[in-house]
Structure formats: C-alpha cells, structure tokens
Amino acid sequence: MQKQDYDGPILEIDNLSISFFTRIGEIPAVMDFSCKVEKGKAVGLVGESGCGKSTVALGVMQDLGVNGKIVGGSIKFKGRELNTMSQEELRDIRGSEIAMIYQEPMASLNPAMKVSKQLMEVPMVHEGASEKEAYNLALQVVTDVNLPDPERIMNSYPHQLSGGQQQRIVIAMALMSKPSLLILDEPTTALDVTVEAGIVALVKELGEKYGTSMLFISHNLGLVLDTCDDICVMYSGEAVETGPIKDVFDKMRHPYTEALFRSIPLPGADKNAHPLVAIPGNFPLPHERPDGCNFGPRCNYFAEGRCNQGVIEMADVDADLVHKSRCLKVEEIDWNAPIAAAVDNEAVEPGRVVLKVSNLRKYYEVAANALFGGGEKRVVKANETLSFEAREAETLAIVGESGCGKSTLAKMLLGLETASDGTITLNNEDIEQIAIQDRKVETVSSIQMVFQNPFDTLNPSMSVGRQIIRALEVFGIGIDDADRKRRMLELLDLVKLPREFARRMPRQLSGGQKQRVGIARAFAGDAQVVVADEPVSALDVSVQAAVTDLLMELQRKNKTTMLFISHDLSIVRYISDRVMVMYLGHVVEMGTTDQVFAPPYHPYTEALLSAVPIADTSIEREHIVLKGDIPSAVNPPSGCPFQTRCQHKDKVGSKCETEVPPLRVLADGHEIKCHLDDAHLDAMTPVIKLAQVD
C-alpha cells in the first residue's frame, strides 16, 4: 500500500462516544472524548483501570467487537474518517499505517512460528515484498531494537526469549512497515524496571528515527513524563484534563489529576511525616455514574447543587487554548494549598530480631533434557549465601530484577521450598528444613504471605467471609463458629471493608478490595512476619496508596515484621526502613533506605535507581540503560555476578571476571559486594537530584 504524505495532525478524535450493547442495555464506555496527535509527537493517555483508555485505542483500530459501537463523534486518521472506511480499507491501514503494541507480548506472538516468519509476514502482506527482501528488512529492524545476536533471535521461537526480548520483537513487528501512528497499550507493565527503561528509551529513539507519532497508554505517570509531549487524563470514560505535559504536571487544574499525584510516592513523600493520600471512595461502574461531574462523589471540592447538575464541558485553562479542564471550579480552587487530608504517623522503632537468615543457599538439580528427564544433571543456583536480620515492626524491602532469587527466598521462608544450606531462624526456631506440611500450626500462622495478584489467591466459589473463617479454622483460632464469625467481621473492619462484604463472592469485588481480603487472611493468625510479594503492582496507583497505607497501619498496630518484595523503587523508598538489593541469587547491597538511595551505590543499585520513572518535572535523573539480560542461574558468569552488565567494570580490571567480591561494610552497617575501591565509590554522584533552576 502506498502511504500518503500528510502535514496535518496524524490522529484527530473529536467528541467521541463509544458504547457496548449488552443484555442489560447500552453501557457508555467513552463519552465526549477529544484528543489530537500531531505529526512526530507522542500523547500520553492516563487514568485508572476502567476509565476507557484501551477502549479509545480499540476505537482507533476499529476493533470494538460485536458489542462495541461508536455512537457519536469522529476519529480521523490523516484527515480521513476511520468510522466510514470499508473493511478492505481498514485492513490496508492496520499494521501498515497504524500499528498497536499490547500489554502482554506473548498474546501478540504465535508460539508455533519462528520469530523470522512472524516478522517477515508484515512486509510480505502489506508491501508485497519478496521473501529475501522481507528477511533482510526483519533482520535490520531486529538489529534496530538492540537485540543481541539478531540472526539467532530470528531463528528462535517466542518461548525461547525473555519477556523483554519478546516485547522488543513485538515493537519490531509494529515498526516493520514504518507506521505513521503507533499505539502502545501498557507496553511495559509486566517488565522489570531496568527492561522497562530500555524499552522506553528504544521507543523514543525509534519514534524519532521513523518519524512515528505515538498514543501511549499507561497508568504510570513517570513513564508518560519520560515519553510524551502532551497528556490526556481520563476518568470514567471522559477526558478531564489535557495539555502539554509540563503544563499539566506543574499546573494541574483538575481535582482528579491532583488526587492522582497525591497518591503516588514522589521523592518528597515520607510514610510518617508526609504520607500518601489515597483517593476516597471507589471508581464508578459505567451504569452507575453520578449526575454532573463523574468525579464528584470522590472530590474534595464537591459543591452540592452545582457539581452534580447538568453536563460539564471541557474549558480552557490558559490563554493559549492548549490546556483544558473539565471542572467548574478551576478558578476558585487554591491549587497550591497544602494537603489537608494528610495525617502524620508516629514512627515505630524496630524491636527485637524476629527473623534471622544465615548463609542461606538454594540449589536445584535439573536434567539437561527437562521434558524427558534424560541427560546430564545441571545445577540452578537460585540463592547464594544470603544473610540478613529482620526486626519487630520493621519493613525490609527486597529488590531486584526477575530471576534474582527474591521469590525463591520467599518460598523457603514459607516452607514451600527447603534450603540447600544455611539457616532460617524464626523466633529462635530453625525452620529452613521443615516443609510447610510438617510445620506446627503456630509456625505457619506466624509467617504469612500477601501475593502479587489478588485475582488468583481467592477461591471463586467461596464467599469472602467463608474464606477468612477457613483461615481461622486452619490456624485454630476461635472456640466455636460464632467466635470465628465475630473475628472474621473484626478482620473486615481491620482492612476497612464493609461487613456486608462477608456475603459477597470474589467476582463482586474490585482488585483493591480483593487484595484487602488477602491481607485480612494473612493477618488472621496474628502473623509476626508478613512476606508481601509485589502486593500493589497489579493495582491502580490510586488503589496502591490505600493498600500500602493499610499494610503500614496494620504493621504499626500489630508490630509486624514485613518483608516487602518489589521492583518498584518508588514505593520501596516510601515504605521501607532497610533495603536489600539482590542480583542473580546474591545480596549485592544492604543498608538503611537512606544509605541505599544515596551514593555510594553498588553499580547495580545505581542502574536500578536510574531506571525508576519519576512523575516530577523538578527531578533530574542520570539515565543508565543496562545492556543485555540477567544471566542464567544455570550458567552464571565467573567472578562478580554483575560483571557482564557493569558500567564501572573498566575501573577494576580482570578481578571482576575472576573473583567474587566480598561483602564489605562501608559505614554504619551499609554493606556492598563490589570490587570498586573507596576512591571510586566516594566519587559517585547522585543518580536522582533536583533540577537546576535558571
């Protein structure tokens, strides 16, 4: 297909309304939505789950399914109305002129086809290229997305690639025909922060190279700041604030935008002195939207008889007519006022040592032929000589990329795996060799876990109340059914869920509500240690604040020891007292939160911090993009585990490749496993700092 040159806006969405028609009637998903993507520019689309971001994207792709329909407004691509195009015209445009990258890369790749064949299909179908031309073009694009050994990658099946590599292939596929518009729907959600940084840098670089305009859908405001020129904030199917990214970030003029920013852990946040403020109430269902302003029931500035009357239109905020807000009180609100809802929390001093881990190792033996169990045995070194202590009422964060050994450690603590060597002491009892089925009830109830995905942890056929009562029965709590029911209702009170939720099924709860039920079960047995494995990563930022606040409140009340496993260093900085950084089974750095987040750093910690997207225009960040993927635990590198990706390796010489560095103490208990000498460590500068004001 011959692409047309066009100098105007690549995408113009004007007063768009999309509805889904079901057995209960019409459900409006998007209303009165307008957005414009200029040539070579990127627009960020942000908001909570269910606000309509993906529906807008599917509307642009004209892929709303049998129930979805555009009921009003227009979508123009290069000046042409998409909604009136024939299916043949749309087929020519999709994948050629407009490409889309989805959240889950494996959903976009055929597991039965080699990467080369999938990439070659694009130019062969859309441009009539020969097989040789298509292969050479595919090889060039795979090289452009910075994949190592492109020919080997081309000859691989999707399952043979890591998550980051799969996402790069999907990006390569989308860019094969050099589209004019690229739609990215949460393209980095499931990826490690270092991989995410590489993907974002890549998308920006390739967008500039190919002159591609972008519609970037995300709930991560920091990513949007790093990637986009303009932003559109959505709430309950409507655009509530739009404008240039810096204008909206620095001069937000809608209560929802303000509430979003107050619920995310920016560098100035402190769990005691400056706690986050969660958005009150719940996101309205499409058929339960209020009159007037959709955000009204959750807004701090709501005015009865005014905000809940009639249709509220988008209005200009500035004289330039580029910054708009859907709020009647834009001129009346003091946008610089301090956060009135914030309440200081009293810091709790850590007490006695509850959990002690010494020289812990976990090795797995696997067959070279995993399918049939034949061949030479190989050893997977999941954890290497881990040693740390965790105290009463303390939060110890464990951070690192996927594959570093965080979850294996959690499994050993819970008794789901037994250690190969070393000791785990819980309240002076060695538990490292006791599997969960052999542990005493008191031990099981003393160390509990909050899982990443609240959707997978609840029995779909059992009511919420019954699931909590079942945990109480297992832990031997309560003298009879009535006593356990009373305790169950108290636990619902504790996690701030209405008591009537006891009768609800999990499908009737939101993601944040399900996670609260999971937390109630974890605390049912008066747990002394709670292992929280990415407990908020699957939740919206507004819900994250509420769940994080709940965890800390329960911790303060019960003096619980919390091991907080996460790859999100923003939330780690906010919630933790101490931080342990892991890489390929090793502890490479450990210290207080202030020590780990300030130089000197381990080179890996430095890279992790630089990769964290921060939704603050006053922050400058040194960008360090790690090359390559984390090595295999089956065949780890010799010497320092990080030496294959280290940006400081040239300052040490061959020692990094031959010797595992010792864990040495820098100051006040700050430990680091690195060969860099004191002079190089002292010369390190902050990765994150306030921008210089002219």
Side-chain angles (χ1 to χ4, degrees):
M1 175 186 172
Q2 186 66 39
K3 296 178 185 177
Q4 64 176 105
D5 291 326
Y6 188 74
D7 291 329
I10 297 298
L11 181 69
E12 294 173 276
I13 304 175
D14 189 36
N15 300 324
L16 177 69
S17 294
I18 299 174
S19 292
F20 290 90
F21 295 85
T22 69
R23 287 177 294 178
I24 64 172
E26 180 182 354
I27 297 178
V30 175
M31 299 97 57
D32 187 30
F33 178 86
S34 298
C35 176
K36 187 183 292 184
V37 183
E38 299 287 350
K39 189 175 182 179
K41 299 293 185 180
V43 175
L45 203 54
V46 302
E48 295 170 277
S49 299
C51 71
K53 305 187 298 294
S54 295
T55 303
V56 169
L58 293 173
V60 174
M61 297 296 291
Q62 297 290 301
D63 186 23
L64 292 166
V66 294
N67 296 325
K69 187 179 178 182
I70 295 174
V71 295
S74 71
I75 307 174
K76 291 180 180 178
F77 174 74
K78 291 186 174 180
R80 299 173 64 198
E81 179 60 60
L82 287 171
N83 202 31
T84 58
M85 287 186 183
S86 66
Q87 286 300 313
E88 187 177 350
E89 289 175 305
L90 289 171
R91 275 196 298 270
D92 285 339
I93 286 177
R94 293 189 192 118
S96 171
E97 288 266 37
I98 305 175
M100 188 164 177
I101 298 172
Y102 296 89
Q103 182 171 343
E104 176 50 62
M106 274 305 286
S108 306
L109 297 172
N110 188 332
M113 287 176 66
K114 288 185 177 180
V115 167
S116 58
K117 294 292 184 186
Q118 299 189 57
L119 290 171
M120 289 163 61
E121 276 189 345
V122 178
M124 290 172 73
V125 169
H126 289 286
E127 299 171 19
S130 67
E131 190 170 331
K132 185 178 180 181
E133 289 171 337
Y135 182 86
N136 290 335
L137 181 58
L139 187 62
Q140 179 57 52
V141 177
V142 170
T143 305
D144 284 347
V145 296
N146 300 328
L147 281 166
D149 196 355
E151 290 190 351
R152 179 187 65 80
I153 295 288
M154 291 270 285
N155 201 41
S156 301
Y157 289 95
H159 73 270
Q160 295 174 301
L161 308 179
S162 69
Q165 289 174 334
Q166 289 170 3
Q167 194 63 292
R168 287 172 186 262
I169 291 299
V170 172
I171 291 171
M173 192 179 296
L175 293 171
M176 281 293 290
S177 56
K178 300 180 178 60
S180 300
L181 177 66
L182 182 61
I183 302 172
L184 302 102
D185 191 359
E186 302 275 11
T188 63
T189 298
L191 304 178
D192 285 309
V193 65
T194 51
V195 180
E196 178 182 76
I199 295 291
V200 169
L202 174 69
V203 167
K204 287 178 67 178
E205 178 190 327
L206 294 179
E208 292 170 3
K209 179 178 178 178
Y210 295 121
T212 302
S213 304
M214 289 188 286
L215 186 63
F216 191 93
I217 298 170
S218 181
H219 67 270
N220 190 322
L221 290 163
L223 272 185
V224 171
L225 177 60
D226 285 348
T227 313
C228 300
D229 304 287
D230 301 292
I231 186 172
C232 175
V233 182
M234 289 190 72
Y235 183 81
S236 192
E238 296 179 323
V240 296
E241 187 167 7
T242 61
I245 194 113
K246 198 170 186 310
D247 284 4
V248 174
F249 272 57
D250 292 346
K251 301 174 185 175
M252 57 196 75
R253 290 297 182 265
H254 194 278
Y256 177 59
T257 311
E258 181 188 61
L260 275 180
F261 274 84
R262 289 180 174 180
S263 64
I264 58 177
L266 296 173
D270 183 279
K271 66 179 179 181
N272 296 314
H274 305 287
L276 302 179
V277 181
I279 304 176
N282 294 309
F283 193 84
L285 295 172
H287 58 282
E288 296 176 350
R289 291 187 178 108
D291 295 329
C293 177
N294 285 333
F295 188 61
R298 306 174 75 188
C299 182
N300 293 329
Y301 311 105
F302 177 78
E304 181 68 38
R306 184 181 175 194
C307 296
N308 57 350
Q309 299 294 319
V311 176
I312 299 181
E313 305 283 353
M314 292 287 281
D316 296 322
V317 171
D318 56 13
D320 296 331
L321 310 181
V322 292
H323 188 177
K324 300 177 184 292
S325 172
R326 195 183 297 271
C327 180
L328 298 174
K329 304 179 76 177
V330 169
E331 301 297 329
E332 304 166 31
I333 296 170
D334 182 1
W335 298 100
N336 298 314
I339 305 174
V343 178
D344 292 354
N345 298 311
E346 188 177 340
V348 179
E349 288 296 321
R352 63 183 180 87
V353 174
V354 176
L355 180 70
K356 185 175 181 180
V357 174
S358 300
N359 298 318
L360 192 69
R361 291 195 302 172
K362 180 61 183 178
Y363 290 177
Y364 297 96
E365 268 197 358
V366 296
N369 189 330
L371 183 61
F372 299 105
E376 183 184 351
K377 294 284 186 181
R378 304 177 73 181
V379 176
V380 178
K381 298 179 179 181
N383 287 138
E384 286 276 12
T385 57
L386 304 182
S387 296
F388 64 90
E389 293 179 347
R391 297 180 176 274
E392 184 182 68
E394 178 183 56
T395 299
L396 172 65
I398 304 171
V399 302
E401 293 168 286
S402 300
C404 72
K406 305 188 299 293
S407 295
T408 302
L409 170 60
K411 289 175 183 176
M412 286 190 285
L413 294 174
L414 289 159
L416 301 173
E417 299 278 2
T418 54
S420 303
D421 197 11
T423 60
I424 301 173
T425 307
L426 177 66
N427 291 325
N428 299 317
E429 179 189 2
D430 289 343
I431 60 172
E432 70 280 348
Q433 292 299 323
I434 309 175
I436 190 166
Q437 63 269 22
D438 299 322
R439 289 186 175 182
K440 295 180 293 187
V441 172
E442 295 80 8
T443 305
V444 174
S445 65
S446 292
I447 182 163
Q448 286 289 297
M449 191 161 184
V450 179
F451 295 89
Q452 177 175 356
N453 195 339
F455 305 92
D456 295 337
T457 57
L458 299 179
N459 188 331
S461 60
M462 191 182 289
S463 70
V464 166
R466 180 59 198 149
Q467 298 197 50
I468 297 174
I469 288 173
R470 176 62 182 146
L472 294 170
E473 290 172 349
V474 170
F475 297 148
I477 294 173
I479 56 177
D480 53 25
D481 289 346
D483 191 29
R484 281 188 282 271
K485 184 178 179 180
R486 178 187 57 79
R487 172 66 175 158
M488 177 270 292
L489 294 172
E490 289 174 351
L491 283 165
L492 287 178
D493 294 340
L494 195 66
V495 297
K496 299 178 181 177
L497 285 176
R499 290 193 169 194
E500 57 264 29
F501 274 38
R503 295 188 296 273
R504 291 194 180 186
M505 306 301 283
R507 68 177 180 275
Q508 296 173 294
L509 274 58
S510 68
Q513 290 166 344
K514 288 177 184 174
Q515 193 64 292
R516 288 171 183 264
V517 176
I519 293 168
R521 289 197 308 185
F523 282 86
D526 296 320
Q528 291 179 288
V529 179
V530 170
V531 182
D533 189 2
E534 302 274 12
V536 295
S537 64
L539 307 175
D540 284 309
V541 289
S542 54
V543 183
Q544 282 183 12
V547 172
T548 301
D549 182 62
L550 172 65
L551 280 170
M552 292 188 297
E553 186 180 327
L554 293 175
Q555 181 187 36
R556 283 191 290 268
K557 182 176 179 179
N558 300 316
K559 294 188 175 180
T560 311
T561 303
M562 187 158 62
L563 302 186
F564 191 86
I565 298 173
S566 181
H567 68 271
D568 185 343
L569 270 75
S570 296
I571 199 74
V572 163
R573 183 172 194 162
Y574 174 69
I575 199 173
S576 64
D577 302 298
R578 290 192 301 128
V579 180
M580 183 168 82
V581 183
M582 291 184 66
Y583 185 82
L584 207 61
H586 293 256
V587 175
V588 296
E589 187 168 3
M590 185 159 52
T592 66
T593 306
D594 288 340
Q595 288 172 335
V596 172
F597 278 76
Y601 315 104
H602 187 281
Y604 179 56
T605 308
E606 184 183 41
L608 283 179
L609 290 172
S610 81
V612 178
I614 301 172
D616 190 339
T617 59
S618 66
I619 296 294
E620 284 184 349
R621 232 165 63 248
E622 183 183 349
H623 289 273
I624 302 168
V625 177
L626 290 179
K627 303 297 183 183
D629 297 308
I630 190 167
S632 170
V634 176
N635 187 27
S638 59
C640 174
F642 188 59
Q643 56 99 351
T644 57
R645 304 168 76 194
C646 183
Q647 63 273 21
H648 296 289
K649 182 180 170 182
D650 58 338
K651 298 172 184 173
V652 179
S654 62
K655 186 187 284 188
C656 292
E657 299 174 3
T658 56
E659 299 177 25
V660 177
L663 194 64
R664 71 187 206 259
V665 180
L666 298 181
D668 300 325
H670 184 193
E671 297 177 320
I672 188 168
K673 186 179 281 189
C674 185
H675 285 304
L676 284 173
D677 59 31
D678 291 344
H680 282 113
L681 289 173
D682 292 340
M684 281 187 167
T685 56
V687 173
I688 301 169
K689 56 187 177 184
L690 286 172
Q692 298 295 317
V693 181
D694 296 329

